[in-house]
Amino acid sequence: MAMVGLQRAGKRYGDVVALHEVDLSVEEGEFVTLLGPSGSGKTTMLNLIAGMIAPTTGQIFIAGKDATNTPPNKRGLGMVFQNYALMPHMTIFENVAFPLRVRKTPEEEIKKKVAHVLNLVHLPQVANRKPRELSGGQQQRVALARCIVYNPTIILMDEPLGALDKKLREQMQLELKRIHTELKITMLYVTHDQEEALTMSDRIVLLNDGRIEQMGPPEEMYFKPRSVFAADFLGSSNIWDATIESDGGATIKSGDKVKIKSEAFAKPGAKAKIMVRPENINVIRQGDDESRFENRVSGKAIDTLILGGVIKHYVQLANDTVIISQELTRSGRRSLTPGQDVRLAWRPDDTLPLPATGKMEG
Amino acid sequence: MLERRAQRLAIMFVAPATIFMLAVFLIPLWKVVSQSFTTMDGHFTWAGYAELKTSILFAKVMWNTIEISLMATVVTLLFAYPLAYYLAKQPPRRRAYLMVFVLLPFWTSVLVKSFAFMVVLGENGFINQGLRAIIGGDLPIKLLFNRTGVMIGMTHYFIPFMVFPILTSLLAQSPDLPKAAQLMGSGAMRIFFKITLPLSMPGVMAGSLLTFILSLGFFITPSLMGGRKDMMMANLVDFYMRETLNWPVAAAIACLLLLLSLAFIGLLTRIPGGKSVLGEAG
Ligand SMILES: Nc1ncnc2c1ncn2[C@@H]1O[C@H](COP(=O)(O)OP(=O)(O)OP(=O)(O)O)[C@@H](O)[C@H]1O
Ligand SMILES: [Mg+2]
């Protein structure tokens, strides 16, 4: 059963369309991420589901029932706010107990449940402290504990890790994933960080300018983007202007001819964009067998960047075309000397044609 | 080096106000204190205090003062809290505009207002004339020269003093808190009593104490709008100074009034949230 459903739900503020009419269905136990640039409508969508704002069009379903006119306190949802929204005058215990007191849970049970969830978020020792006596990451975990303590069917999170530094953020991502798997809660997660979306989600909903650009599992979103926007937003990519040839190949901006994955829209003569992920482009070194890769180009090295675990090579092709190749860092693997001739190769299957504007249907 | 510079800077900023306060407050205050121990012909005396110790009039007026001040504080709070709450919910521009109306009582002096109130509230004032026209008969409601009159006059003056600290503490609350509570299933009543109100207590305490301390020394309103039974300590000072010409007693009352106010300020530091009034972060 769909836990959350949006049916042609949209929101406008006067002339501003915050969210065009969108359809979305989130299944029980799913971890769905709303991803998109600033102003793309992520918070709007979350607030529509939470009931903080009313849709101008369409309907909202929660656990199969029409909840369009249900007030927020009757929706049975949980939400983790970006700034935690812990009650500053209450102890951690009272904060976590708050939703249980609303539900008139007996005191004995409250004690048990609060202790249980504080354990779950690895903070059993802070019950008597005030929120301001905790670090940002700890407050974040308390906010999560307060949310899961009353077993809401769905948890909404609006950039919950936005205020944390990188390391803590990664730690909390794992924690969230663990809790999600352990408790099998349906989670709807907002972020504008594509890496976070890729690591955490069962499914990513990519928003662009108040519309759903594309949705699907992370691998699909990453390897089969259906628009230049999606390809560009998720991960880095090589995107070139190209013309589709009659034999089903394409000529890219540099003048090189490449074989591409076949797509219905890519008819001979059509203007298109060609996208290849940098990690699919191989630098051919002495002794490498390049015949495995049908697409091959030559250029001159511009620069090599070592980014911890990976190396990025920037290579100049003809006609001001730059191509980026990404490899894993290995000791002994030499960087390219700027100006050096380089041969690069990749497979046709990794060569995706994309419509020059808009997105592919289907 | 740096520390010395900071010190010099501090002196530069604080000195003018300090000198001013010294001249117009501390020196006169010292005069009052010494006056309370000095007879009219210049000898030391305890007589002023001794007289107050046994004076039934003084005891009565003192309790009167505390009672009126408490009442005025409570009544002001009852009016001011909803006002502050409403203001806090308004968009900033509208709030700024409405604030001008909250400040209206400051536009005229207490004295002028007291006379204006007499015109409005008197037996032949607007209100009673209006009532007579509607209901007929000849039963004026007594709104002046009694406790009601004092309350109307004082509350009117105090409301802004109460509204601002409360408004400040309401605006300091994150708007996400009630939202979060609502999502957790809480109704509006619980949100108000468990979150909004407790978090606004520093403002309520600050406003109440300010009101209470201000009203302890009130003079014009009780003397113009109150009855014989509404005499407050400041009025008693006036009485001893001008009617009986007993200056030591007048000064002694003034000193006791000051001590009373100081005691309440001291109390303030001991209650939760009270310190915020004195400029210490809660
Ligand atoms: N109350 C409002 N009044 C007018 N316009 C609004 C209002 N709230 C949002 N918008 C507009 O709706 C659009 C979507 O806003 P939304 O807050 O959903 O973006 P977002 O994807 O959450 O962005 P961010 O990553 O910056 O939080 C924006 O263009 C925003 O300016
Ligand atoms: Mg947002």
Side-chain angles (χ1 to χ4, degrees), chain A residues 191-210:
Chain A
T191 182
H192 60 250
D193 179 344
Q194 46 101 9
E195 246 177 82
E196 191 165 286
L198 288 170
T199 43
M200 300 187 69
S201 330
D202 294 325
R203 198 149 55 105
I204 294 174
V205 176
L206 180 63
L207 290 171
N208 179 17
D209 212 4

Side-chain angles (χ1 to χ4, degrees), chain A residues 73 77 83 86 89 102-103, chain B residues 176-177 182-185 194:
Chain A
N73 55 343
L77 303 171
N83 54 13
L86 297 176
H89 59 302
V102 172
R103 286 163 180 74
Chain B
D176 281 343
L177 297 182
Q182 205 186 7
L183 273 165
M184 288 186 278
K194 294 286 175 186

Side-chain angles (χ1 to χ4, degrees), chain B residues 4-20:
Chain B
R4 196 171 307 163
R5 247 193 75 173
Q7 258 175 18
R8 218 170 338 163
L9 213 63
I11 290 170
M12 254 168 60
F13 281 120
V14 176
T18 312
I19 292 167
F20 183 73

Side-chain angles (χ1 to χ4, degrees), chain A residues 128-158:
Chain A
N128 294 321
R129 289 198 224 162
K130 292 280 181 71
R132 66 165 173 275
E133 295 166 296
L134 300 187
S135 72
Q138 290 173 323
Q139 290 185 36
Q140 183 60 63
R141 281 186 274 168
V142 172
L144 186 65
R146 183 179 67 173
C147 203
I148 53 190
V149 74
Y150 61 102
N151 298 320
T153 44
I154 303 145
I155 293 185
L156 311 175
M157 297 192 232
D158 195 349

Side-chain angles (χ1 to χ4, degrees), chain A residues 113-124 141 144-145 148-149 175 178-180 182-183 185:
Chain A
K113 285 191 165 173
V114 171
H116 174 70
V117 291
L118 284 180
N119 259 323
L120 204 65
V121 296
H122 301 315
L123 285 175
R141 281 186 274 168
L144 186 65
I148 53 190
V149 74
E175 203 112 316
R178 176 177 67 84
I179 286 167
H180 171 247
E182 237 165 78
L183 304 180
I185 303 176

Side-chain angles (χ1 to χ4, degrees), chain A residues 287-345:
Chain A
D288 285 353
D289 172 20
E290 61 174 57
S291 65
R292 291 185 292 140
F293 309 107
E294 288 183 64
N295 289 333
R296 276 161 274 183
V297 297
S298 300
K300 281 197 189 311
I302 305 172
D303 209 352
T304 295
L305 291 182
I306 301 177
L307 308 159
V310 297
I311 293 190
K312 278 187 174 181
H313 304 292
Y314 292 79
V315 176
Q316 175 95 49
L317 304 184
N319 207 359
D320 272 345
T321 312
V322 173
I323 182 166
I324 306 168
S325 158
Q326 180 179 309
E327 301 178 305
L328 295 179
T329 311
R330 298 258 166 73
S331 62
R333 183 168 267 175
R334 279 189 301 125
S335 347
L336 304 177
T337 327
Q340 156 191 6
D341 287 324
V342 190
R343 243 180 118 57
L344 300 167

Side-chain angles (χ1 to χ4, degrees), chain B residues 91-282:
Chain B
R93 293 192 67 170
R94 188 173 150 78
R95 182 164 55 235
Y97 165 78
L98 289 172
M99 221 87 100
V100 175
F101 292 96
V102 178
L103 287 171
L104 270 181
F106 287 147
W107 288 15
T108 45
S109 79
V110 192
L111 189 63
V112 174
K113 268 188 303 191
S114 295
F115 284 119
F117 273 132
M118 294 166 90
V119 176
V120 177
L121 304 172
E123 273 179 40
N124 287 309
F126 294 149
I127 291 184
N128 276 318
Q129 272 183 12
L131 282 175
R132 229 168 281 153
I134 298 166
I135 311 170
D138 198 31
L139 257 179
I141 308 175
K142 220 167 146 30
L143 296 170
L144 263 187
F145 311 124
N146 59 10
R147 195 54 65 85
T148 315
V150 179
M151 280 305 129
I152 293 173
M154 288 174 80
T155 307
H156 179 265
Y157 180 75
F158 290 141
I159 280 179
F161 289 101
M162 188 72 97
V163 165
F164 280 98
I166 297 178
L167 181 62
T168 309
S169 68
L170 286 173
L171 290 177
Q173 297 177 23
S174 157
D176 281 343
L177 297 182
K179 272 197 213 168
Q182 205 186 7
L183 273 165
M184 288 186 278
S186 177
M189 288 298 256
R190 183 184 291 267
I191 291 176
F192 180 76
F193 285 108
K194 294 286 175 186
I195 298 167
T196 313
L197 185 61
L199 282 175
S200 67
M201 278 324 275
V204 170
M205 293 313 304
S208 298
L209 229 105
L210 197 59
T211 306
F212 186 77
I213 292 167
L214 280 173
S215 60
L216 281 180
F218 240 53
F219 172 72
I220 294 172
T221 306
S223 78
L224 288 184
M225 297 174 69
R228 292 191 57 81
K229 279 188 255 160
D230 302 307
M231 199 182 220
M232 293 177 74
M233 275 167 88
N235 304 106
L236 198 60
V237 174
D238 179 59
F239 173 78
Y240 276 109
M241 254 177 72
R242 293 195 309 178
E243 310 277 320
T244 67
L245 295 177
N246 193 342
W247 286 25
V249 175
I253 299 171
C255 288
L256 289 176
L257 182 57
L258 180 70
L259 279 179
L260 195 64
S261 301
L262 285 175
F264 278 104
I265 292 173
L267 202 67
L268 183 65
T269 61
R270 302 195 171 265
I271 47 174
K275 283 188 180 155
S276 70
V277 190
L278 304 175
E280 196 172 308

